[in-house]
Amino acid sequence: MRDPKRVMAATVLVFEALVVVFAALVAKDLTGLGTTTAVGGGAALAVVLVVASGVLGRPGGYWLGSLLQVVVVATGLLLPAMLLVGGVFAGLWVAAVVLGTRIERDRAAWSGGAGPSGPDGPGATVGDG
């Protein structure tokens, strides 16, 4: 079975990479950055985000993802709209990690506990017990 925290966090990073690429295209027109700098920097950040999604199962993977959230929010210094967009993705990142951890904990408790036939399993009805 797949690790829910890893799947949700990787999804956030990949979608964030797509948004960063589009933001780089906007930045080349709305900022004083040259096309090469804006698009090249955005593409590089997008590649790092995708790579980070692939290393979430390794030590430090979630720290890298968290660091990248700070970097994406910091791009708001160049393109102010990225403060909001980066903040939304940082919130999604926190939600993915927190909820994923909760799902993992609940799944471990379920499989290590009484299981489906236990007192609170799917077969239980109101008034059982």
Side-chain angles (χ1 to χ4, degrees):
M1 198 172 290
R2 294 189 175 199
D3 175 11
K5 178 171 74 171
R6 185 173 172 187
V7 170
M8 290 191 300
T11 302
V12 169
L13 291 173
V14 170
F15 279 112
E16 190 170 16
L18 293 171
V19 171
V20 164
V21 168
F22 291 122
L25 295 173
V26 171
K28 77 176 178 59
D29 293 329
L30 296 183
T31 66
L33 296 174
T35 300
T36 304
T37 304
V39 175
L45 180 55
V47 167
V48 173
L49 285 161
V50 171
V51 168
S53 75
V55 299
L56 289 176
R58 297 197 169 116
Y62 289 96
W63 285 106
L64 175 61
S66 298
L67 175 66
L68 289 172
Q69 299 311 306
V70 173
V71 172
V72 171
V73 171
T75 63
L77 297 173
L78 299 171
L79 186 64
M82 284 303 289
L83 287 172
L84 175 64
V85 173
V88 167
F89 274 103
L92 289 171
W93 173 259
V94 170
V97 172
V98 170
L99 293 175
T101 302
R102 185 177 299 161
I103 291 169
E104 287 175 354
R105 185 183 62 236
D106 291 348
R107 188 180 282 173
W110 180 262
S111 66
S117 62
D120 296 322
T125 58
V126 176
D128 280 354

